[in-house]
Amino acid sequence: MTKNLVIVESPAKAKTIEKFLGSDFTVKSCFGHIRDLDKGDDAIKISDNFKPTYIVPSDKKSVVAELKNLAKNSETVWLASDEDREGEAISWHLSEVLGLNAKNSKRIVFHEITKPAILKAIENPREIDKNLVDAQQARRLLDRIVGFELSPVLWKKVKPALSAGRVQSVAVRLIVERERQITDFVTKSAYKIVAEFEFNNKKFNAELPERFDKREDAIKFLESCKNSEFIVESVEIKPGTKKPSAPFTTSTLQQEASRKLGFSVSQTMTLAQKLYEEGHITYMRTDSVNLSELAISAAKSEIVNNYGEKYSKPRRYQTKSNSAQEAHEAIRPTYFEKQTAGADAQQKKLYDLIWKRTIASQMSEAEIERTEVKIKISNNGKILLTIGEVIKFDGFLKVYLEDKDETSVEDESQLSVLPAMKKGDILKNLLITATQRFTKPQPRYTEASLVKDMEELGIGRPSTYAPTITTILKRGYVEKESREGIKRNYEIIKLKDNIISDEIKTEITGAEKNKLFPTDIGTVVTDYLLKNFIQIMDYNFTANVEKEFDEIAQGMIEWTKMLNEFYHPFHNLIDSTMKISEKVTGERDLGIHPITKQPVFAKIGRFGPMIQVGDGTDEIKPVFARLKKGQSIEKITLDEALELFELPRTLDEFEQKPIKVGVGRFGPYIQHNNKFYSLAKTDDPYQISYERAIELINEKRKAEAEKVILVLPENISVLNGRYGPYITQNKENYKIPKGIEPKSLTLEQCLKIIEEAKNNSTPKKTFYKKSKK
C-alpha cells in the first residue's frame, strides 16, 4: 500500500517533484484535465440551474483507472495541480472522479517547483477552493453557450462551418478595426529639416522643430539660411534617471519574447511551461508583478556579488490588476545564482530574458545627463534643437533594456554625445537637408501587441491570451503573414556651400513581418456580429464578464446566478436574430465587365472569398473566380478582379497532352492527361512556366511510385504516408503497430490489424445543442 500519492498535471512536473520527496511518496501525472463537458445535447441542463454533465474522454480512461487504483491503496492523496482556476478545477474533478474526501485527500499549491516550496506546501495543505472551481466552471459553460448558440446563426446567415466565441470574436474585431484604420489612412508628406554641424572636431546634427508641408516652403527656408551664422543660443544640462521595468507577467513576457527573441505567443508559453516544470522559473500564468521577500533578498545577493553594492536597489512592485489575487508572484527564476537554464537553445534564451528582467528590476536606476542645445540661425531667427545624452552611471542598463513596440511615430530615441558648447559659440555648418517624410498609420498587430491591447481592455486573462490567438488563426479569421512592401520615391533638398540641389531617392514602404491580417471571412463575420450582437462584441461587456469571473473566484457572487442573468436575454436575441436577420456575403459591386457588360461582384461564397461575373438574371450563366492570396473583397479593384478570369490557361503540350493551369476548390493546380497536380505555395498560377509545370508532374509521379509498398487481395494496400506506412482498405486507413515491418505483411496479418482496429474504435458523438423545450 502506498502511503502518499501526489497527483500533478504533467509527467515532467511529476518527475521534478519526485526528486524532492522521499520513498513514502509516489508522484503521478493526470495529463491535464481528466473530465470535460459532454459534447452531446445534454452537456448543460439550462432548466436545472445550468447543471453541467461531465464525461471522462476515452483517451483518459486508462489514466483514471490507474489513478483510482493507486488512490484506493493510498493513505493520503495530495492534489498538486497548478494554483490558478484551471488547476483548482483539475483537482476538483480528480476528487470527484476518484471518490476522494477531506479525510483521505489534501490540496497543496506552490508557485515554484523547488524543494523548499514543495515541502512547505506539504506542511500547509488546504481544502479545494470551490470558489475558484466555480469561476472556472462559469467561464467554461458561458463560453460553451456563446459558441454553441451563436455558431449556428453564422452557419445559416454567413457560411457553413463557422464559429464564434466570447473572447475570440472580440479579438478578431480589434484586428479588423485596425486594418480598416490602415486602409482609410490618408498619407501626407512634409519636409523635415536637419542640419549637420562641426565644433571642436566633433560632428553632430540638429533639427528644426517644425516641418514644412509644401516643397516651396522648404526651399524658401533653405534659401534664407544662405550666408547665415549659426550661433549657440542656450545650453541646458539636466540630470535624469531611467528606472527598470517591473518583473514579467504573462502578458509582458509574451510581448518581450516576441520583440527580443521573435517567439510567437504560444511558443513562449510552451517554453515557459517546460522551464516551470523543470523547476527553473515560477508559475508562468500570472498578472502579478510582486516578488516575495525571499526573492528580493536572493536577487540582492546576486547583484551585490556580481556588480557591487552600488548596483543594488531592492524594490517592491504593486500589481495594478484587481484580478491578480490568485497569482502570488511575477515570473522569476527560482534560483538567482543559476544564470543559465533550459534543455535547449530556445529555453535558454527565454530563461536568460526572465533572469535579466528580474535582476534588473532590483537594480539601481541609470543616471543620465541630458544636454539640450538651441542654435539660432542669424538670417531668419529660426531655432534648431539638438539633444545629447550621456550615461553617467549605467545601473540596471548593465543587465537589461526593455524593447519597444513599433509605432506610427518616427523613433528618434538614439541620442548622441555632443561636444562641449556654451552660449555665443559659432558653429560650422556642413550641410542642411530638407527630407520628404510621410505620415504612417497605426501599425498592424503582431501577436505581442494584440496581447498588450487585450490586457489593457480587460479581454481575457493570462491563461487565455495564447489559446485565443491560436484559435482565431486556426479558424481562418486571421492570417499571420509577412508581406513585401512597395517602392516609393522621396525627395531630399540640400543646402551645401550656399548651393541648393535636390535628388530623388527610393525607399520601401508597407513591408510587414509576421503581422496579423483579417481574412475576408473574419471581416464579414465581425460586421455581422457587430450589427446583430453588439453586446457580445462590446469591449466593455467582455471586460465586465472577466470581472464577474473574478468576483465568483472571490466568493462575492454565485456562479449560476451570473449565468442565468446572461443566458435568457442572449438566448432570446439568438432566436429573434435567426428569424429576422438577412444572410450576408459582404458583397461589393466592382463595376461592369467591359466585354460582356455583366455586373462584377466580390463576395463570400460557399467556399470562401470569390469574384462573380453576372447576376443570373438573364440567360448568361454567372462565372466565378477565387481571390489570390493577399487580395480581399474590401480592397480588390475591377481590373484586379478581371485578371482572375485569365485562368485556366494552357501552357503547351507534354507527352502529346496539353498542360492546363487553373484554380479550383482546393487551390491552384496543373491538369495533364486527366490528372491533377497541386502547385506549391511559392508557385503563382498566373506566372508558372512550362518547365516548372513538368517538374511538378514528374515530382508527383515519383512520389506516387514510391508510395506503394504492397498490393494485396481484398482491395488492401500497404502505403507510405505523411506519418509513415499504413494499411488501406476501401478508402479506410489503419495504423500499423510498432515492431512490424510493412514489407513483410501478409494478407492474414493485414485483415487481423483491420479487425482489431474496428473493434477498438469508438463512435463519434454530436456537438452540444440547445435543449428543446
Side-chain angles (χ1 to χ4, degrees):
M1 185 173 185
T2 304
K3 192 170 183 180
N4 295 283
L5 173 65
V6 180
I7 304 177
V8 297
E9 296 99 327
S10 72
K13 191 174 173 182
K15 186 178 177 183
T16 305
I17 291 174
E18 207 163 31
K19 299 173 187 175
F20 306 138
L21 300 173
S23 57
D24 288 342
F25 288 83
T26 298
V27 186
K28 289 289 180 180
S29 168
C30 65
F31 298 88
H33 279 281
I34 60 160
R35 282 202 311 187
D36 197 6
L37 283 173
D38 191 356
K39 296 186 185 298
D41 292 346
D42 296 323
I44 304 169
K45 294 180 180 176
I46 307 292
S47 59
D48 193 7
N49 206 23
F50 297 92
K51 183 180 179 181
T53 299
Y54 291 108
I55 60 164
V56 177
S58 57
D59 62 339
K60 288 296 177 73
K61 286 182 177 176
S62 60
V63 175
V64 169
E66 181 190 13
L67 292 176
K68 269 186 177 179
N69 185 53
L70 289 168
K72 186 178 177 182
N73 294 292
S74 300
E75 289 181 17
T76 305
V77 178
W78 303 81
L79 301 171
S81 50
D82 291 337
E83 60 178 337
D84 58 8
R85 296 171 196 171
E86 213 67 34
E88 204 71 20
I90 289 173
S91 283
W92 178 72
H93 283 296
L94 283 167
S95 179
E96 294 281 304
V97 173
L98 303 183
L100 306 178
N101 56 54
K103 292 182 180 179
N104 65 1
S105 68
K106 295 177 180 179
R107 171 78 169 118
I108 56 171
V109 293
F110 39 85
H111 57 274
E112 61 181 54
I113 304 176
T114 60
K115 188 171 183 177
I118 301 302
L119 295 179
K120 184 179 179 181
I122 294 286
E123 291 169 5
N124 298 278
R126 62 167 173 81
E127 294 181 355
I128 291 172
D129 188 334
K130 195 59 169 56
N131 290 330
L132 295 183
V133 175
D134 287 346
Q136 189 273 346
Q137 283 196 112
R139 177 188 291 278
R140 186 74 183 89
L141 269 64
L142 181 64
D143 288 348
R144 169 68 72 91
I145 288 168
V146 170
F148 279 54
E149 294 219 354
L150 199 50
S151 296
V153 179
L154 297 180
W155 303 343
K156 185 175 181 181
K157 302 297 183 179
V158 183
K159 180 177 172 289
L162 296 177
S163 70
R166 183 182 57 84
V167 176
Q168 75 171 54
S169 297
V170 179
V172 175
R173 177 187 173 185
L174 281 169
I175 296 165
V176 169
E177 289 182 343
R178 177 61 59 85
E179 189 67 26
R180 283 183 171 151
Q181 288 171 8
I182 294 168
T183 301
D184 296 341
F185 185 81
V186 178
T187 299
K188 296 179 181 178
S189 71
Y191 287 83
K192 172 184 173 182
I193 306 297
V194 176
E196 183 182 350
F197 294 104
E198 184 176 30
F199 187 72
N200 288 343
N201 297 319
K202 284 188 178 180
K203 293 179 181 180
F204 64 95
N205 290 340
E207 186 177 330
L208 189 72
E210 62 181 294
R211 296 193 180 189
F212 297 107
D213 294 335
K214 297 178 180 178
R215 181 178 187 272
E216 49 266 35
D217 290 339
I219 293 175
K220 185 178 178 182
F221 170 81
L222 294 179
E223 288 282 0
S224 71
C225 291
K226 287 181 178 179
N227 300 309
S228 286
E229 282 190 333
F230 297 86
I231 307 157
V232 175
E233 177 79 4
S234 66
V235 178
E236 189 176 1
I237 299 173
K238 298 178 182 177
T241 60
K242 282 185 180 178
K243 293 182 179 180
S245 300
F248 281 130
T249 61
T250 302
S251 166
T252 53
L253 176 64
Q254 290 168 341
Q255 293 168 51
E256 194 72 342
S258 172
R259 291 185 292 238
K260 281 188 181 293
L261 306 176
F263 291 169
S264 70
V265 167
S266 58
Q267 182 183 12
T268 296
M269 293 312 292
T270 299
L271 295 169
Q273 177 95 32
K274 291 175 181 176
L275 290 170
Y276 167 68
E277 290 175 347
E278 291 294 329
H280 299 312
I281 64 170
T282 52
Y283 192 53
M284 65 285 153
R285 293 186 187 95
T286 175
D287 46 13
S288 171
V289 292
N290 300 326
L291 294 177
S292 67
E293 291 301 321
L294 187 65
I296 290 172
S297 176
K300 179 179 179 179
S301 176
E302 185 68 13
I303 293 163
V304 171
N305 288 340
N306 286 331
Y307 310 109
E309 188 77 40
K310 188 179 179 183
Y311 282 88
S312 173
K313 185 176 180 180
R315 286 184 187 78
R316 288 159 186 81
Y317 292 89
Q318 293 297 314
T319 301
K320 294 178 182 178
S321 171
N322 292 325
S323 64
Q325 295 94 334
E326 300 153 37
H328 300 294
E329 281 199 77
I331 303 168
R332 64 164 175 83
T334 50
Y335 298 104
F336 285 95
E337 62 271 23
K338 191 185 287 185
Q339 294 192 22
T340 304
D344 57 36
Q346 289 185 328
Q347 287 183 40
K348 286 175 181 175
K349 285 179 181 178
L350 190 65
Y351 179 84
D352 180 66
L353 194 67
I354 294 166
W355 187 90
K356 286 178 176 176
R357 173 80 164 226
T358 315
I359 284 290
S361 76
Q362 300 301 304
M363 292 178 73
S364 303
E365 292 96 341
E367 296 174 9
I368 293 154
E369 187 177 86
R370 190 180 179 94
T371 303
E372 185 177 291
V373 180
K374 292 179 179 178
I375 303 162
K376 188 174 183 179
I377 306 172
S378 62
N379 285 3
N380 56 31
K382 296 283 188 181
I383 298 293
L384 300 168
L385 182 66
T386 183
I387 299 173
E389 199 172 80
V390 177
I391 297 174
K392 307 298 277 187
F393 172 64
D394 54 2
F396 77 93
L397 294 176
K398 198 172 193 73
V399 174
Y400 183 86
L401 178 62
E402 184 179 20
D403 277 10
K404 292 181 180 179
D405 281 321
E406 177 188 356
T407 68
S408 59
V409 180
E410 288 184 47
D411 182 12
E412 296 173 2
S413 58
Q414 297 278 337
L415 300 179
S416 60
V417 178
L418 300 176
M421 291 177 276
K422 65 181 184 300
K423 183 176 180 178
D425 283 340
I426 297 176
L427 309 178
K428 181 182 178 182
N429 176 240
L430 304 176
L431 173 71
I432 304 177
T433 59
T435 305
Q436 189 180 20
R437 294 289 80 205
F438 299 87
T439 54
K440 294 191 292 183
Q442 283 289 310
R444 287 184 173 88
Y445 280 113
T446 61
E447 288 190 15
S449 61
L450 180 62
V451 166
K452 183 179 180 182
D453 277 10
M454 287 174 68
E455 182 182 42
E456 288 178 356
L457 290 166
I459 302 168
R461 286 292 181 261
S463 60
T464 64
Y465 299 141
T468 297
I469 291 173
T470 299
T471 297
I472 63 178
L473 287 167
K474 186 178 178 182
R475 291 183 176 168
Y477 289 148
V478 173
E479 291 175 333
K480 183 178 177 181
E481 292 184 1
S482 296
R483 294 185 182 177
E484 293 181 1
I486 58 172
K487 288 183 178 180
R488 175 174 68 190
N489 292 335
Y490 69 98
E491 184 181 25
I492 302 178
I493 309 170
K494 299 178 182 179
L495 172 65
K496 187 174 184 180
D497 299 328
N498 286 326
I499 298 172
I500 293 177
S501 62
D502 68 335
E503 63 176 315
I504 301 297
K505 288 196 170 185
T506 303
E507 63 184 358
I508 300 295
T509 181
E512 301 284 21
K513 184 177 180 182
N514 293 330
K515 295 293 182 65
L516 299 176
F517 294 82
T519 62
D520 285 320
I521 292 292
T523 301
V524 170
V525 168
T526 297
D527 289 343
Y528 179 80
L529 293 176
L530 278 170
K531 182 179 179 181
N532 296 284
F533 297 93
I534 184 61
Q535 181 191 24
I536 296 295
M537 298 294 284
D538 183 72
Y539 298 132
N540 291 328
F541 167 77
T542 310
N544 288 333
V545 169
E546 295 293 346
K547 289 176 183 176
E548 288 185 299
F549 291 149
D550 296 339
E551 289 171 355
I552 294 168
Q554 296 164 42
M556 295 168 63
I557 59 174
E558 207 274 322
W559 72 284
T560 55
K561 182 186 176 190
M562 178 258 189
L563 287 178
N564 193 59
E565 289 175 353
F566 166 81
Y567 176 74
H568 295 290
F570 172 70
H571 178 68
N572 292 336
L573 182 59
I574 289 283
D575 282 348
S576 64
T577 305
M578 191 69 94
K579 292 173 185 174
I580 65 174
S581 75
E582 297 179 354
K583 185 175 175 66
V584 296
T585 62
E587 186 176 291
R588 181 169 156 252
D589 187 354
L590 299 180
I592 300 296
H593 195 290
I595 298 173
T596 66
K597 306 304 179 185
Q598 294 289 306
V600 183
F601 307 99
K603 67 177 188 177
I604 298 292
R606 186 179 175 188
F607 302 112
M610 67 177 191
I611 302 298
Q612 176 180 330
V613 177
D615 54 13
T617 56
D618 50 27
E619 295 179 0
I620 301 175
K621 189 177 179 181
V623 291
F624 307 92
R626 291 181 61 175
L627 272 66
K628 291 198 281 186
K629 190 172 181 64
Q631 291 181 330
S632 73
I633 59 177
E634 281 202 344
K635 299 177 184 177
I636 193 167
T637 64
L638 178 62
D639 288 341
E640 290 169 339
L642 295 177
E643 282 180 13
L644 300 174
F645 292 90
E646 293 175 3
L647 296 179
R649 63 190 182 99
T650 303
L651 296 181
D652 206 338
E653 287 194 351
F654 173 57
E655 298 173 347
Q656 285 80 53
K657 299 286 182 181
I659 298 175
K660 293 182 179 179
V661 184
V663 176
R665 177 179 173 184
F666 302 107
Y669 64 85
I670 293 167
Q671 183 183 1
H672 177 255
N673 196 20
N674 295 323
K675 289 190 176 182
F676 293 87
Y677 305 85
S678 295
L679 269 64
K681 287 184 178 180
T682 52
D683 291 318
D684 185 340
Y686 295 88
Q687 297 181 359
I688 189 169
S689 67
Y690 172 74
E691 291 75 19
R692 174 60 177 156
I694 293 173
E695 185 183 335
L696 289 172
I697 292 169
N698 288 331
E699 282 177 3
K700 186 172 181 183
R701 285 177 177 177
K702 183 181 177 184
E704 286 179 345
E706 294 171 350
K707 183 178 181 180
V708 180
I709 299 174
L710 291 172
V711 178
L712 300 170
E714 299 196 32
N715 205 24
I716 293 173
S717 298
V718 181
L719 307 175
N720 266 318
R722 184 178 177 184
Y723 303 106
Y726 65 96
I727 298 168
T728 182
Q729 183 188 40
N730 300 326
K731 297 184 179 180
E732 293 288 336
N733 300 333
Y734 305 92
K735 188 178 179 181
I736 299 173
K738 288 182 179 179
I740 296 178
E741 172 57 46
K743 290 181 181 179
S744 66
L745 281 166
T746 63
L747 175 62
E748 290 73 19
Q749 286 176 308
C750 288
L751 289 170
K752 185 180 178 183
I753 291 169
I754 291 169
E755 186 64 28
E756 288 175 352
K758 287 179 178 178
N759 291 337
N760 292 332
S761 67
T762 54
K764 295 179 180 178
K765 291 193 175 184
T766 59
F767 287 111
Y768 157 80
K769 294 178 183 176
K770 173 173 60 67
S771 299
K772 292 180 181 178
K773 293 181 181 178

